[in-house]
Amino acid sequence: MLYEPGPVNEALADTVAKVRARRNVPVFAQWEIARFLESKYHMSGVTSIEPVISADGTIVYLSTDGVAAQVKELRASQPSGIAGIVGFRDHIKRCVQTTQDRGMDAFAPQGIDMPGTYDPQSGQPWTRRRDLYLVHDMYAQIAVLRGKLIAQAYPNG
């Protein structure tokens, strides 16, 4: 069973709704955000990126790259276009970079403020406080940079 999405996911859905009000574009959203888009905004044209459920019934956390990979696969049959990315304020840079690394032209919509209030009740401990999140994000960015540098130095392995 899926848990109830929290206030950060609702704030992200509110931000998607602001973007959608400016331009009617297809929306690909993690399931937590998609639930708010459907229930609160009755938004159509939303493709929900559903979680993987493990054998014991627990939700497998969707990484930023995992979400980007699923979106790329879902968009494969559609005409190419630019992906406008909505994400948590401290996470948006990595969201855009990850989406670009997956071969999609991506940006954060100009003039849209991204949510930035942390949820102390979040199911992911590193997303409960900014100091913990920033260390997590730096770790993730360094891991990606490490992989790129190794691939650049040794393209054949």
Side-chain angles (χ1 to χ4, degrees), residues 50-134:
E50 293 295 313
V52 174
I53 307 296
S54 66
D56 68 0
T58 58
I59 297 172
V60 177
Y61 172 70
L62 293 169
S63 69
T64 304
D65 185 58
V67 171
Q70 287 188 39
V71 170
K72 181 170 178 134
E73 185 177 318
L74 289 165
R75 288 183 68 193
S77 64
Q78 298 179 357
S80 64
I82 297 171
I85 307 296
V86 169
F88 194 72
R89 185 176 305 135
D90 289 331
H91 185 59
I92 189 72
K93 173 188 169 195
R94 189 159 54 94
C95 292
V96 170
Q97 288 176 331
T98 302
T99 304
Q100 290 172 343
D101 287 348
R102 281 283 173 180
M104 293 175 272
D105 191 10
F107 69 98
Q110 191 173 26
I112 298 289
D113 289 331
M114 298 297 159
T117 301
Y118 285 83
D119 176 10
Q121 303 300 315
S122 175
Q124 300 162 339
W126 62 92
T127 64
R128 294 176 190 159
R129 296 187 347 216
R130 188 168 197 247
D131 60 330
L132 296 175
Y133 179 76
L134 292 177

Side-chain angles (χ1 to χ4, degrees), residues 4-19:
E4 285 296 313
V8 172
N9 293 307
E10 185 172 13
L12 289 165
D14 294 344
T15 306
V16 170
K18 287 176 190 171
V19 172

